[in-house]
Amino acid sequence: ICLGENPSTWMLNQLNKQSITNSEGEIESIDFAKAWKKSDNYQTLGDELDQLVAGREEKLQIKSDERYAQPWYRRDKLMMIRAMRIYWRSPGYNLSRMTLAVAIALLLGSIFFPIKDRTLFTETQMDSMFGAVYIAFIIIGQLSITSIIPVTISIRDMYYRHEAAGMLSSRSVMFGLLAAEIPFLAVISLSFPVIFVSLIGLPNDNIVEDFWRGFG
């Protein structure tokens, strides 16, 4: 392949084994874009498109009395289903968040594991425990915001096309993403406190109290 040559053009040349000689006598690849524009098929297609545009009928145009073709509840429902499918088909993003939550819970909880069996804590130890919870949520939140950027970019391109076509609104996208996030946020919210609290061993007689103390 020549330096600067389009790989797709090179592939087509290899398949067709066609090349031309330029004005300097050098052999170069065929510019398929220029060859297509000079062909009879291109001219015929252009004439057909011009005829379709000039002869279009008003009654065949898709119109709606409202800005959007469907009511808000149907738009929200369809966007919610689509967002859930996108999340389900993006296991890397969701698994990374859940794995990160478990890893941070194990890491921070293991710091206080040697004093787990104590029934009396000093003020410094309690401050350290609650400070660890605070730091953990900051880390998880920041990494979650960073990791969602690729998913948001893929949805953003789809949103602009559908919004221009009168199919979706920003409200529907927000509702769909919120509904898709809830199951994964619930798993993370359950796994982190249970692991962290079980390792640091806060003294109480009720696992429910343990769970809610994990939220700090």
Side-chain angles (χ1 to χ4, degrees):
I1 186 171
C2 301
L3 181 63
E5 186 177 9
N6 190 316
S8 300
T9 303
W10 176 85
M11 181 181 65
L12 291 173
N13 289 333
Q14 294 301 314
L15 293 174
N16 297 326
K17 297 296 182 180
Q18 295 181 5
S19 60
I20 58 175
T21 304
N22 58 20
S23 57
E24 298 178 357
E26 299 177 350
I27 298 177
E28 63 179 15
S29 303
I30 296 177
D31 190 334
F32 287 94
K34 293 181 180 179
W36 162 249
K37 291 182 178 180
K38 293 179 181 180
S39 65
D40 296 335
N41 291 334
Y42 176 82
Q43 185 64 36
T44 303
L45 181 61
D47 295 339
E48 292 178 357
L49 292 175
D50 292 338
Q51 293 176 4
L52 292 174
V53 172
R56 61 183 178 182
E57 301 179 10
E58 293 292 333
K59 64 180 181 180
L60 297 179
Q61 295 185 10
I62 301 176
K63 294 182 179 181
S64 176
D65 296 333
E66 304 293 336
R67 179 179 178 183
Y68 300 103
Q70 295 292 332
W72 65 269
Y73 55 86
R74 181 167 176 79
R75 297 197 308 270
D76 291 355
K77 176 184 177 182
L78 293 175
M79 185 60 210
M80 179 183 67
I81 296 174
R82 183 163 188 171
M84 288 183 173
R85 287 178 179 174
I86 291 175
Y87 270 60
W88 184 255
R89 295 171 181 175
S90 304
Y93 164 63
N94 297 307
L95 288 177
S96 63
R97 288 195 300 170
M98 291 185 284
T99 304
L100 180 64
V102 173
I104 293 178
L106 291 172
L107 177 63
L108 296 179
S110 63
I111 298 175
F112 303 98
F113 188 76
I115 59 174
K116 174 183 178 182
D117 296 331
R118 290 188 181 182
T119 57
L120 185 64
F121 295 91
T122 64
E123 183 179 354
T124 302
Q125 290 172 341
M126 292 301 299
D127 289 341
S128 300
M129 290 180 181
F130 289 115
V133 176
Y134 179 74
I135 293 173
F137 284 133
I138 290 179
I139 295 174
I140 293 174
Q142 291 295 330
L143 292 178
S144 296
I145 292 174
T146 304
S147 60
I148 200 176
I149 292 178
V151 180
T152 305
I153 291 176
S154 63
I155 297 176
R156 182 191 63 178
D157 297 338
M158 174 271 298
Y159 162 71
Y160 285 140
R161 294 194 300 268
H162 289 187
E163 199 277 337
M167 298 174 63
L168 285 178
S169 63
S170 58
R171 176 184 175 278
S172 299
V173 176
M174 179 188 66
F175 176 79
L177 293 177
L178 177 63
E181 282 278 355
I182 290 176
F184 301 100
L185 292 178
V187 172
I188 294 174
S189 301
L190 288 171
S191 60
F192 180 87
V194 170
I195 296 174
F196 181 77
V197 173
S198 63
L199 288 175
I200 65 176
L202 290 178
N204 57 63
D205 300 326
N206 195 322
I207 189 63
V208 177
E209 293 183 25
D210 256 346
F211 173 77
W212 287 112
R213 287 184 186 185
F215 285 95

